[in-house]
Coordinates of all heavy atoms in Angstrom, one line a residue:
M5 N -12.7 -41.6 -36.4 CA -13.6 -41.2 -35.3 C -13.7 -39.7 -35.4 O -12.8 -39.0 -35.6 CB -12.9 -41.6 -34.0 CG -13.7 -41.4 -32.8 SD -12.8 -42.0 -31.3 CE -13.9 -43.2 -30.7
A6 N -15.0 -39.2 -35.2 CA -15.2 -37.8 -35.3 C -14.9 -37.1 -33.9 O -15.0 -37.7 -32.9 CB -16.7 -37.6 -35.7
E7 N -14.6 -35.8 -34.0 CA -14.3 -35.1 -32.8 C -15.5 -34.4 -32.3 O -16.4 -34.0 -33.0 CB -13.3 -34.0 -33.1 CG -11.9 -34.5 -33.4 CD -10.9 -33.3 -33.6 OE1 -11.0 -32.3 -32.9 OE2 -9.9 -33.5 -34.3
L8 N -15.6 -34.4 -31.0 CA -16.7 -33.7 -30.3 C -16.7 -32.3 -30.6 O -15.6 -31.6 -30.7 CB -16.7 -33.9 -28.8 CG -17.0 -35.3 -28.2 CD1 -16.8 -35.3 -26.7 CD2 -18.4 -35.7 -28.6
L9 N -17.9 -31.7 -30.8 CA -18.0 -30.2 -31.0 C -18.0 -29.6 -29.6 O -18.6 -30.1 -28.6 CB -19.3 -29.9 -31.8 CG -19.4 -30.4 -33.2 CD1 -20.7 -30.1 -33.8 CD2 -18.2 -29.9 -34.0
S10 N -17.5 -28.4 -29.5 CA -17.6 -27.6 -28.3 C -19.0 -27.1 -28.1 O -19.8 -27.1 -29.1 CB -16.6 -26.4 -28.3 OG -17.0 -25.5 -29.2
D11 N -19.3 -26.7 -26.9 CA -20.7 -26.1 -26.7 C -20.9 -24.9 -27.6 O -22.0 -24.8 -28.2 CB -20.8 -25.6 -25.2 CG -20.9 -26.8 -24.2 OD1 -21.1 -27.9 -24.7 OD2 -20.6 -26.6 -23.0
D12 N -19.9 -24.1 -27.8 CA -20.1 -23.0 -28.7 C -20.3 -23.4 -30.1 O -21.2 -22.8 -30.9 CB -18.9 -22.0 -28.6 CG -18.8 -21.2 -27.3 OD1 -19.9 -21.1 -26.6 OD2 -17.7 -20.7 -27.0
E13 N -19.6 -24.4 -30.6 CA -19.8 -24.9 -32.0 C -21.2 -25.5 -32.1 O -21.8 -25.3 -33.2 CB -18.7 -26.0 -32.3 CG -17.3 -25.4 -32.4 CD -16.3 -26.5 -32.6 OE1 -16.3 -27.5 -31.8 OE2 -15.4 -26.3 -33.5
V14 N -21.6 -26.2 -31.2 CA -23.0 -26.8 -31.3 C -24.0 -25.6 -31.3 O -24.9 -25.6 -32.2 CB -23.3 -27.7 -30.1 CG1 -24.8 -28.1 -30.0 CG2 -22.4 -28.9 -30.0
D15 N -23.9 -24.6 -30.5 CA -24.8 -23.5 -30.5 C -24.8 -22.8 -31.8 O -25.9 -22.4 -32.3 CB -24.5 -22.5 -29.3 CG -24.8 -23.1 -28.0 OD1 -25.5 -24.1 -27.9 OD2 -24.2 -22.6 -27.0
E16 N -23.6 -22.6 -32.4 CA -23.5 -21.8 -33.6 C -24.1 -22.7 -34.8 O -24.6 -22.1 -35.8 CB -22.0 -21.5 -33.9 CG -21.5 -20.5 -33.0 CD -19.9 -20.4 -33.2 OE1 -19.3 -21.1 -34.1 OE2 -19.3 -19.7 -32.3
R17 N -23.9 -23.9 -34.8 CA -24.2 -24.8 -36.0 C -25.6 -25.5 -35.9 O -26.0 -26.1 -36.9 CB -23.1 -25.8 -36.2 CG -21.8 -25.0 -36.5 CD -20.6 -26.0 -36.7 NE -21.0 -26.9 -37.7 CZ -20.3 -28.1 -37.9 NH1 -19.3 -28.4 -37.0 NH2 -20.6 -29.0 -38.8
L18 N -26.2 -25.5 -34.7 CA -27.5 -26.2 -34.5 C -28.5 -25.7 -35.5 O -28.8 -24.5 -35.5 CB -27.9 -26.1 -33.1 CG -29.0 -27.0 -32.6 CD1 -28.5 -28.5 -32.7 CD2 -29.4 -26.7 -31.2
P19 N -29.1 -26.5 -36.3 CA -30.1 -26.0 -37.3 C -31.4 -25.5 -36.5 O -31.7 -25.9 -35.4 CB -30.5 -27.3 -38.1 CG -29.4 -28.2 -37.9 CD -28.8 -27.9 -36.6
Q20 N -32.0 -24.6 -37.2 CA -33.3 -24.0 -36.6 C -34.3 -25.2 -36.4 O -34.4 -26.0 -37.2 CB -33.9 -23.0 -37.6 CG -35.1 -22.3 -37.0 CD -35.5 -21.2 -38.0 OE1 -34.9 -20.9 -39.0 NE2 -36.7 -20.6 -37.6
G21 N -35.0 -25.1 -35.2 CA -35.9 -26.1 -34.9 C -35.4 -27.2 -34.0 O -36.1 -28.0 -33.4
W22 N -34.1 -27.3 -33.9 CA -33.4 -28.3 -33.1 C -33.0 -27.7 -31.8 O -32.7 -26.5 -31.7 CB -32.1 -28.9 -33.8 CG -32.5 -29.7 -35.0 CD1 -32.8 -29.3 -36.3 CD2 -32.5 -31.2 -35.0 NE1 -33.1 -30.4 -37.0 CE2 -32.9 -31.6 -36.3 CE3 -32.3 -32.1 -34.1 CZ2 -33.0 -32.9 -36.7 CZ3 -32.4 -33.5 -34.5 CH2 -32.8 -33.8 -35.8
E23 N -33.0 -28.6 -30.8 CA -32.6 -28.1 -29.4 C -31.5 -29.1 -28.9 O -31.5 -30.3 -29.3 CB -33.8 -28.1 -28.5 CG -34.8 -27.2 -28.8 CD -36.0 -27.2 -27.9 OE1 -36.0 -27.9 -26.9 OE2 -37.0 -26.5 -28.1
R24 N -30.7 -28.6 -28.0 CA -29.8 -29.5 -27.3 C -30.3 -29.9 -26.0 O -30.9 -29.2 -25.3 CB -28.4 -28.7 -27.1 CG -27.4 -29.6 -26.5 CD -26.1 -28.8 -26.3 NE -25.1 -29.9 -25.8 CZ -23.8 -29.6 -25.8 NH1 -23.4 -28.5 -26.3 NH2 -23.0 -30.5 -25.4
E25 N -30.2 -31.2 -25.8 CA -30.6 -31.8 -24.5 C -29.4 -32.7 -24.1 O -29.3 -33.8 -24.5 CB -31.9 -32.7 -24.6 CG -33.1 -31.8 -24.9 CD -34.3 -32.6 -24.9 OE1 -34.3 -33.8 -24.5 OE2 -35.4 -32.1 -25.3
G26 N -28.5 -32.1 -23.2 CA -27.4 -32.9 -22.8 C -26.4 -33.2 -23.9 O -26.0 -32.3 -24.6
D27 N -26.2 -34.5 -24.1 CA -25.3 -34.9 -25.2 C -26.0 -35.3 -26.5 O -25.5 -35.9 -27.4 CB -24.4 -36.1 -24.7 CG -23.4 -35.8 -23.7 OD1 -23.1 -34.6 -23.6 OD2 -23.0 -36.7 -23.0
E28 N -27.2 -34.8 -26.6 CA -28.0 -35.1 -27.8 C -28.6 -33.8 -28.4 O -28.7 -32.8 -27.7 CB -29.3 -35.9 -27.5 CG -28.9 -37.3 -27.0 CD -30.2 -38.1 -26.6 OE1 -31.1 -37.5 -26.0 OE2 -30.2 -39.3 -27.0
I29 N -28.9 -33.8 -29.7 CA -29.7 -32.8 -30.3 C -31.0 -33.4 -30.7 O -31.1 -34.6 -31.1 CB -29.0 -32.1 -31.5 CG1 -28.6 -33.1 -32.6 CG2 -27.8 -31.3 -31.0 CD1 -28.1 -32.4 -33.9
V30 N -32.1 -32.6 -30.5 CA -33.5 -33.2 -30.6 C -34.4 -32.3 -31.4 O -34.3 -31.0 -31.3 CB -34.1 -33.4 -29.2 CG1 -35.5 -33.9 -29.3 CG2 -33.2 -34.2 -28.3
R31 N -35.2 -32.9 -32.2 CA -36.3 -32.1 -32.9 C -37.5 -32.9 -33.0 O -37.5 -34.1 -33.2 CB -35.9 -31.7 -34.3 CG -37.0 -30.9 -35.0 CD -36.5 -30.2 -36.2 NE -37.7 -29.4 -36.7 CZ -37.7 -28.7 -37.8 NH1 -36.6 -28.7 -38.5 NH2 -38.7 -28.1 -38.2
T32 N -38.7 -32.3 -32.7 CA -40.0 -32.9 -32.9 C -40.7 -32.3 -34.1 O -40.9 -31.0 -34.2 CB -40.8 -32.8 -31.7 OG1 -40.1 -33.4 -30.5 CG2 -42.2 -33.5 -31.8
Y33 N -40.9 -33.1 -35.1 CA -41.6 -32.7 -36.3 C -43.1 -32.9 -36.1 O -43.5 -34.0 -35.6 CB -41.1 -33.4 -37.5 CG -39.6 -33.3 -37.8 CD1 -38.7 -34.1 -37.3 CD2 -39.2 -32.3 -38.8 CE1 -37.3 -33.9 -37.6 CE2 -37.9 -32.1 -39.1 CZ -36.9 -32.9 -38.5 OH -35.6 -32.8 -38.8
G34 N -43.9 -32.0 -36.6 CA -45.4 -32.2 -36.6 C -45.9 -32.6 -37.9 O -45.4 -32.2 -39.0
F35 N -47.0 -33.4 -37.9 CA -47.7 -33.9 -39.1 C -49.2 -33.8 -38.9 O -49.7 -33.8 -37.8 CB -47.2 -35.4 -39.3 CG -45.8 -35.5 -39.6 CD1 -44.8 -35.6 -38.6 CD2 -45.3 -35.3 -40.9 CE1 -43.5 -35.7 -38.8 CE2 -43.9 -35.3 -41.2 CZ -43.0 -35.5 -40.1
D36 N -49.8 -33.9 -40.0 CA -51.3 -33.8 -40.0 C -51.9 -35.1 -39.6 O -53.1 -35.1 -39.1 CB -51.9 -33.4 -41.4 CG -51.5 -32.0 -41.8 OD1 -51.3 -31.2 -40.9 OD2 -51.5 -31.7 -43.0
D37 N -51.2 -36.2 -39.8 CA -51.8 -37.5 -39.4 C -50.6 -38.5 -39.1 O -49.5 -38.3 -39.4 CB -52.8 -38.1 -40.4 CG -52.1 -38.3 -41.8 OD1 -51.1 -38.9 -41.9 OD2 -52.7 -37.8 -42.8
Y38 N -51.0 -39.6 -38.6 CA -50.1 -40.6 -38.2 C -49.2 -41.2 -39.3 O -48.0 -41.3 -39.2 CB -50.8 -41.8 -37.4 CG -50.0 -42.9 -37.0 CD1 -49.1 -42.8 -35.9 CD2 -50.0 -44.1 -37.7 CE1 -48.3 -43.8 -35.5 CE2 -49.2 -45.2 -37.2 CZ -48.4 -45.0 -36.2 OH -47.5 -46.0 -35.7
L39 N -49.9 -41.5 -40.4 CA -49.2 -42.1 -41.5 C -48.2 -41.2 -42.2 O -47.1 -41.7 -42.7 CB -50.2 -42.7 -42.5 CG -51.0 -43.9 -42.1 CD1 -51.9 -44.4 -43.2 CD2 -50.0 -45.1 -41.7
A40 N -48.4 -39.9 -42.2 CA -47.5 -39.0 -42.7 C -46.2 -39.0 -41.8 O -45.1 -38.9 -42.4 CB -48.1 -37.5 -42.7
G41 N -46.4 -39.1 -40.5 CA -45.2 -39.2 -39.6 C -44.5 -40.5 -39.9 O -43.2 -40.5 -39.9
V42 N -45.2 -41.6 -40.1 CA -44.5 -42.9 -40.3 C -43.7 -42.8 -41.6 O -42.6 -43.3 -41.7 CB -45.5 -44.0 -40.4 CG1 -44.9 -45.3 -40.9 CG2 -46.2 -44.2 -39.0
E43 N -44.3 -42.2 -42.6 CA -43.6 -42.1 -43.9 C -42.3 -41.2 -43.7 O -41.2 -41.6 -44.2 CB -44.5 -41.4 -44.9 CG -43.9 -41.2 -46.3 CD -44.8 -40.6 -47.3 OE1 -46.0 -40.8 -47.2 OE2 -44.3 -39.8 -48.2
F44 N -42.4 -40.1 -42.9 CA -41.2 -39.3 -42.7 C -40.1 -40.1 -41.9 O -39.0 -40.1 -42.2 CB -41.6 -38.1 -41.9 CG -40.4 -37.2 -41.5 CD1 -39.7 -36.5 -42.5 CD2 -40.0 -37.2 -40.2 CE1 -38.6 -35.7 -42.1 CE2 -38.9 -36.4 -39.8 CZ -38.2 -35.7 -40.8
A45 N -40.6 -40.9 -40.9 CA -39.7 -41.7 -40.1 C -38.9 -42.7 -41.0 O -37.8 -43.0 -40.8 CB -40.4 -42.4 -39.0
T46 N -39.6 -43.2 -42.0 CA -39.0 -44.2 -43.0 C -37.9 -43.4 -43.7 O -36.8 -44.0 -43.9 CB -40.1 -44.8 -43.9 OG1 -41.0 -45.5 -43.1 CG2 -39.4 -45.7 -44.9
L47 N -38.2 -42.2 -44.2 CA -37.2 -41.4 -44.9 C -36.0 -41.1 -44.0 O -34.8 -41.3 -44.5 CB -37.8 -40.1 -45.5 CG -38.9 -40.2 -46.5 CD1 -39.5 -38.9 -46.8 CD2 -38.3 -40.8 -47.8
V48 N -36.3 -40.8 -42.8 CA -35.1 -40.5 -41.9 C -34.3 -41.8 -41.7 O -33.1 -41.7 -41.7 CB -35.7 -40.1 -40.5 CG1 -34.7 -40.1 -39.4 CG2 -36.2 -38.6 -40.6
G49 N -34.9 -42.9 -41.6 CA -34.2 -44.2 -41.5 C -33.4 -44.5 -42.7 O -32.2 -45.0 -42.6
E50 N -33.9 -44.2 -43.9 CA -33.1 -44.5 -45.1 C -31.9 -43.6 -45.2 O -30.8 -44.0 -45.5 CB -34.0 -44.3 -46.3 CG -35.1 -45.4 -46.4 CD -36.1 -45.1 -47.5 OE1 -36.1 -44.0 -48.1 OE2 -37.0 -46.0 -47.7
V51 N -32.1 -42.3 -44.8 CA -31.0 -41.4 -44.9 C -29.9 -41.8 -43.8 O -28.7 -41.8 -44.1 CB -31.4 -39.9 -44.6 CG1 -30.2 -39.0 -44.3 CG2 -32.3 -39.4 -45.8
A52 N -30.4 -42.2 -42.6 CA -29.5 -42.6 -41.6 C -28.7 -43.8 -42.0 O -27.5 -43.9 -41.8 CB -30.2 -42.9 -40.3
E53 N -29.3 -44.7 -42.7 CA -28.7 -45.9 -43.1 C -27.6 -45.6 -44.2 O -26.5 -46.2 -44.1 CB -29.7 -47.0 -43.7 CG -29.1 -48.3 -44.0 CD -28.5 -49.1 -42.8 OE1 -28.9 -48.8 -41.6 OE2 -27.8 -50.0 -43.0
E54 N -27.9 -44.7 -45.1 CA -26.9 -44.3 -46.1 C -25.7 -43.7 -45.4 O -24.6 -43.9 -45.9 CB -27.6 -43.3 -47.0 CG -28.6 -43.9 -48.0 CD -29.3 -42.9 -48.9 OE1 -28.8 -41.7 -48.9 OE2 -30.2 -43.3 -49.5
E55 N -25.9 -42.9 -44.4 CA -24.9 -42.2 -43.7 C -24.2 -43.1 -42.6 O -23.2 -42.7 -42.0 CB -25.4 -40.9 -43.1 CG -25.9 -39.9 -44.1 CD -24.8 -39.3 -44.9 OE1 -23.7 -39.0 -44.4 OE2 -25.0 -39.1 -46.2
F56 N -24.8 -44.2 -42.3 CA -24.3 -45.1 -41.3 C -24.1 -44.4 -39.9 O -23.2 -44.4 -39.2 CB -23.0 -45.9 -41.6 CG -22.8 -47.1 -40.8 CD1 -23.6 -48.2 -41.0 CD2 -21.8 -47.1 -39.9 CE1 -23.5 -49.3 -40.1 CE2 -21.6 -48.3 -39.1 CZ -22.5 -49.3 -39.2
H57 N -25.2 -43.6 -39.6 CA -25.2 -42.9 -38.3 C -26.7 -42.8 -37.9 O -27.5 -42.1 -38.6 CB -24.7 -41.5 -38.5 CG -24.5 -40.8 -37.2 ND1 -23.6 -41.2 -36.2 CD2 -25.0 -39.6 -36.7 CE1 -23.6 -40.4 -35.2 NE2 -24.5 -39.4 -35.5
H58 N -27.1 -43.6 -36.9 CA -28.5 -43.9 -36.7 C -29.1 -43.1 -35.5 O -28.5 -43.2 -34.3 CB -28.7 -45.4 -36.5 CG -28.2 -46.1 -37.7 ND1 -26.9 -46.6 -37.7 CD2 -28.7 -46.4 -38.8 CE1 -26.7 -47.2 -38.9 NE2 -27.8 -47.1 -39.6
P59 N -30.2 -42.4 -35.7 CA -30.8 -41.6 -34.6 C -31.8 -42.5 -33.8 O -32.1 -43.6 -34.3 CB -31.6 -40.5 -35.3 CG -32.0 -41.3 -36.6 CD -30.9 -42.1 -37.0
E60 N -32.3 -42.0 -32.7 CA -33.4 -42.6 -32.0 C -34.6 -41.9 -32.7 O -34.7 -40.6 -32.8 CB -33.3 -42.3 -30.6 CG -34.5 -42.9 -29.8 CD -34.4 -42.6 -28.3 OE1 -33.2 -42.8 -27.8 OE2 -35.4 -42.3 -27.7
I61 N -35.6 -42.6 -33.0 CA -36.8 -42.1 -33.6 C -38.0 -42.5 -32.8 O -38.2 -43.7 -32.6 CB -37.0 -42.6 -35.1 CG1 -35.8 -42.2 -35.9 CG2 -38.3 -42.0 -35.7 CD1 -35.8 -42.9 -37.3
V62 N -38.8 -41.6 -32.4 CA -40.1 -41.9 -31.6 C -41.3 -41.4 -32.4 O -41.4 -40.1 -32.7 CB -40.0 -41.3 -30.2 CG1 -41.3 -41.6 -29.5 CG2 -38.8 -41.7 -29.4
I63 N -42.1 -42.3 -32.9 CA -43.3 -41.9 -33.6 C -44.5 -41.8 -32.7 O -44.9 -42.7 -32.1 CB -43.6 -43.0 -34.7 CG1 -42.4 -43.2 -35.6 CG2 -44.8 -42.6 -35.5 CD1 -42.5 -44.3 -36.6
G64 N -45.1 -40.6 -32.8 CA -46.3 -40.3 -32.0 C -47.5 -40.2 -32.9 O -47.3 -40.5 -34.2
Y65 N -48.6 -39.9 -32.5 CA -49.8 -39.8 -33.3 C -49.7 -38.8 -34.4 O -49.9 -39.1 -35.6 CB -51.1 -39.4 -32.5 CG -52.3 -39.3 -33.3 CD1 -52.8 -40.4 -34.0 CD2 -53.0 -38.1 -33.4 CE1 -54.0 -40.2 -34.8 CE2 -54.1 -37.9 -34.2 CZ -54.6 -39.0 -34.9 OH -55.7 -38.9 -35.7
E66 N -49.2 -37.6 -34.1 CA -49.0 -36.5 -35.1 C -47.6 -35.9 -35.0 O -47.4 -34.8 -35.5 CB -50.1 -35.5 -35.0 CG -51.5 -35.9 -35.4 CD -52.5 -34.9 -35.3 OE1 -52.4 -33.8 -34.6 OE2 -53.6 -35.0 -36.0
T67 N -46.7 -36.7 -34.4 CA -45.3 -36.1 -34.2 C -44.3 -37.3 -34.5 O -44.6 -38.4 -34.3 CB -45.1 -35.6 -32.8 OG1 -45.3 -36.7 -31.9 CG2 -46.0 -34.4 -32.5
V68 N -43.1 -36.8 -34.9 CA -42.0 -37.7 -34.9 C -40.8 -37.0 -34.2 O -40.4 -35.9 -34.6 CB -41.6 -38.1 -36.3 CG1 -40.3 -38.9 -36.4 CG2 -42.7 -38.8 -37.0
E69 N -40.3 -37.6 -33.2 CA -39.2 -37.0 -32.4 C -37.9 -37.7 -32.9 O -37.8 -38.9 -33.0 CB -39.3 -37.2 -30.9 CG -38.1 -36.6 -30.1 CD -38.2 -36.9 -28.7 OE1 -37.9 -38.1 -28.3 OE2 -38.7 -36.1 -27.9
V70 N -36.9 -36.9 -33.2 CA -35.6 -37.5 -33.7 C -34.5 -37.0 -32.7 O -34.4 -35.8 -32.4 CB -35.3 -37.0 -35.1 CG1 -33.9 -37.6 -35.6 CG2 -36.4 -37.4 -36.1
R71 N -33.7 -37.9 -32.2 CA -32.6 -37.6 -31.3 C -31.3 -38.1 -31.9 O -31.2 -39.3 -32.4 CB -32.8 -38.3 -30.0 CG -34.0 -37.8 -29.2 CD -34.1 -38.5 -27.9 NE -35.1 -37.7 -27.0 CZ -34.7 -36.7 -26.3 NH1 -33.4 -36.4 -26.1 NH2 -35.6 -36.1 -25.6
L72 N -30.3 -37.2 -31.9 CA -29.0 -37.6 -32.5 C -27.9 -37.4 -31.5 O -27.9 -36.4 -30.7 CB -28.7 -36.7 -33.7 CG -29.4 -37.0 -35.0 CD1 -29.4 -35.8 -35.9 CD2 -28.9 -38.2 -35.6
T73 N -27.0 -38.3 -31.5 CA -25.7 -38.2 -30.7 C -24.8 -39.1 -31.3 O -25.1 -40.1 -32.0 CB -26.0 -38.5 -29.2 OG1 -24.8 -38.1 -28.5 CG2 -26.3 -39.9 -28.9
S74 N -23.5 -38.9 -31.0 CA -22.5 -39.8 -31.5 C -22.0 -40.6 -30.3 O -21.1 -40.2 -29.5 CB -21.3 -39.1 -32.1 OG -21.7 -38.4 -33.3
H75 N -22.6 -41.8 -30.1 CA -22.3 -42.6 -28.9 C -20.8 -42.9 -28.7 O -20.3 -42.9 -27.6 CB -23.1 -43.9 -29.0 CG -24.6 -43.7 -28.9 ND1 -25.3 -43.3 -27.8 CD2 -25.5 -43.7 -29.9 CE1 -26.6 -43.2 -28.1 NE2 -26.8 -43.4 -29.3
E76 N -20.2 -43.3 -29.8 CA -18.8 -43.7 -29.7 C -17.9 -42.6 -29.2 O -16.9 -42.8 -28.4 CB -18.3 -44.3 -31.0 CG -18.9 -45.6 -31.4 CD -18.5 -46.1 -32.8 OE1 -17.8 -45.4 -33.5 OE2 -19.0 -47.1 -33.2
E77 N -18.3 -41.4 -29.6 CA -17.5 -40.2 -29.2 C -18.0 -39.6 -27.9 O -17.3 -38.8 -27.3 CB -17.5 -39.1 -30.3 CG -16.7 -39.5 -31.5 CD -17.4 -40.5 -32.4 OE1 -18.6 -40.8 -32.2 OE2 -16.8 -40.9 -33.4
G78 N -19.2 -40.0 -27.5 CA -19.7 -39.5 -26.2 C -20.3 -38.1 -26.2 O -20.3 -37.4 -25.2
G79 N -20.9 -37.7 -27.4 CA -21.6 -36.4 -27.5 C -21.9 -36.0 -28.9 O -22.0 -36.9 -29.8
I80 N -21.9 -34.8 -29.2 CA -22.4 -34.2 -30.4 C -21.1 -33.9 -31.4 O -20.2 -33.3 -30.9 CB -23.2 -32.9 -30.2 CG1 -24.4 -33.3 -29.3 CG2 -23.6 -32.3 -31.5 CD1 -25.1 -32.0 -28.7
T81 N -21.3 -34.4 -32.6 CA -20.2 -34.3 -33.6 C -20.7 -33.6 -34.9 O -21.9 -33.5 -35.0 CB -19.5 -35.6 -33.9 OG1 -20.4 -36.4 -34.6 CG2 -19.0 -36.3 -32.7
D82 N -19.8 -33.4 -35.8 CA -20.3 -33.0 -37.1 C -21.3 -33.9 -37.8 O -22.2 -33.4 -38.5 CB -19.0 -32.9 -38.1 CG -18.1 -31.8 -37.8 OD1 -18.6 -30.7 -37.4 OD2 -16.9 -31.9 -38.1
K83 N -21.2 -35.2 -37.5 CA -22.1 -36.2 -38.1 C -23.6 -35.9 -37.6 O -24.5 -36.0 -38.4 CB -21.8 -37.6 -37.6 CG -20.5 -38.2 -38.1 CD -20.4 -39.6 -37.5 CE -19.1 -40.3 -37.8 NZ -19.1 -41.6 -37.3
D84 N -23.7 -35.5 -36.4 CA -25.1 -35.2 -35.9 C -25.6 -34.0 -36.5 O -26.8 -33.9 -37.0 CB -25.0 -35.0 -34.4 CG -24.5 -36.3 -33.7 OD1 -25.0 -37.4 -33.9 OD2 -23.4 -36.2 -33.0
I85 N -24.8 -32.9 -36.7 CA -25.3 -31.7 -37.3 C -25.6 -31.9 -38.8 O -26.6 -31.5 -39.3 CB -24.2 -30.6 -37.2 CG1 -23.9 -30.3 -35.7 CG2 -24.7 -29.3 -37.9 CD1 -25.1 -29.7 -34.9
R86 N -24.7 -32.7 -39.5 CA -25.0 -33.0 -40.9 C -26.3 -33.8 -41.0 O -27.1 -33.4 -41.9 CB -23.8 -33.8 -41.4 CG -24.0 -34.4 -42.8 CD -22.8 -35.1 -43.3 NE -23.1 -36.0 -44.4 CZ -23.5 -35.6 -45.6 NH1 -23.6 -34.3 -45.9 NH2 -23.7 -36.5 -46.6
L87 N -26.6 -34.8 -40.2 CA -27.8 -35.5 -40.3 C -29.0 -34.7 -40.0 O -30.0 -34.8 -40.6 CB -27.7 -36.8 -39.4 CG -27.1 -38.0 -40.0 CD1 -27.2 -39.2 -39.1 CD2 -27.7 -38.3 -41.4
A88 N -28.9 -33.8 -39.0 CA -30.0 -32.9 -38.7 C -30.4 -32.1 -39.9 O -31.6 -32.0 -40.2 CB -29.7 -32.0 -37.5
N89 N -29.4 -31.6 -40.6 CA -29.7 -30.8 -41.8 C -30.3 -31.7 -42.9 O -31.2 -31.3 -43.6 CB -28.5 -30.1 -42.3 CG -28.1 -28.9 -41.5 OD1 -28.9 -28.0 -41.4 ND2 -27.0 -28.9 -40.9
L90 N -29.8 -32.9 -43.1 CA -30.3 -33.8 -44.1 C -31.8 -34.2 -43.7 O -32.6 -34.3 -44.7 CB -29.5 -35.1 -44.2 CG -28.1 -34.9 -44.8 CD1 -27.3 -36.2 -44.7 CD2 -28.2 -34.5 -46.3
F91 N -32.1 -34.5 -42.5 CA -33.5 -34.8 -42.1 C -34.4 -33.6 -42.4 O -35.5 -33.8 -42.8 CB -33.6 -35.2 -40.6 CG -32.7 -36.4 -40.3 CD1 -32.4 -36.6 -39.0 CD2 -32.4 -37.3 -41.2 CE1 -31.7 -37.8 -38.6 CE2 -31.7 -38.5 -40.9 CZ -31.3 -38.7 -39.6
D92 N -33.9 -32.4 -42.1 CA -34.7 -31.2 -42.4 C -35.0 -31.1 -43.9 O -36.1 -30.7 -44.3 CB -34.0 -29.9 -41.8 CG -34.1 -29.8 -40.3 OD1 -34.8 -30.6 -39.7 OD2 -33.4 -28.9 -39.8
D93 N -34.1 -31.4 -44.7 CA -34.2 -31.4 -46.1 C -35.3 -32.4 -46.6 O -36.0 -32.1 -47.6 CB -33.0 -31.7 -46.9 CG -31.9 -30.6 -46.7 OD1 -32.2 -29.5 -46.3 OD2 -30.7 -30.9 -47.1
E94 N -35.5 -33.5 -45.9 CA -36.6 -34.4 -46.2 C -37.9 -34.0 -45.9 O -38.9 -34.4 -46.4 CB -36.3 -35.8 -45.5 CG -35.1 -36.5 -46.0 CD -35.2 -36.9 -47.4 OE1 -36.3 -37.2 -47.9 OE2 -34.1 -37.0 -48.1
R95 N -38.0 -33.0 -44.9 CA -39.3 -32.5 -44.4 C -39.8 -31.5 -45.4 O -40.8 -31.3 -45.7 CB -39.1 -31.9 -43.0 CG -40.3 -31.4 -42.4 CD -41.3 -32.6 -42.1 NE -42.4 -32.1 -41.3 CZ -43.6 -31.9 -41.7 NH1 -44.0 -32.2 -43.0 NH2 -44.5 -31.6 -40.9

């Protein structure tokens, strides 16, 4: 079980473009068209499955919103920060 990060640790380690919303970290990625966003969401899903840590993904017309939290721990952990960076690498 991963340990929760403190507020200061989250602030220090949160990747650029991500925001904290309560017990989640959130980023909305922009795309030129719907299918580019769907393709990205598929990549995010594949990375999440490999890491066995699954985000909430919302696909819009030209956006994909990704939300991460560690439900079992009740907040933000190293796993969430790691995945945020991995998702950014896919972009």
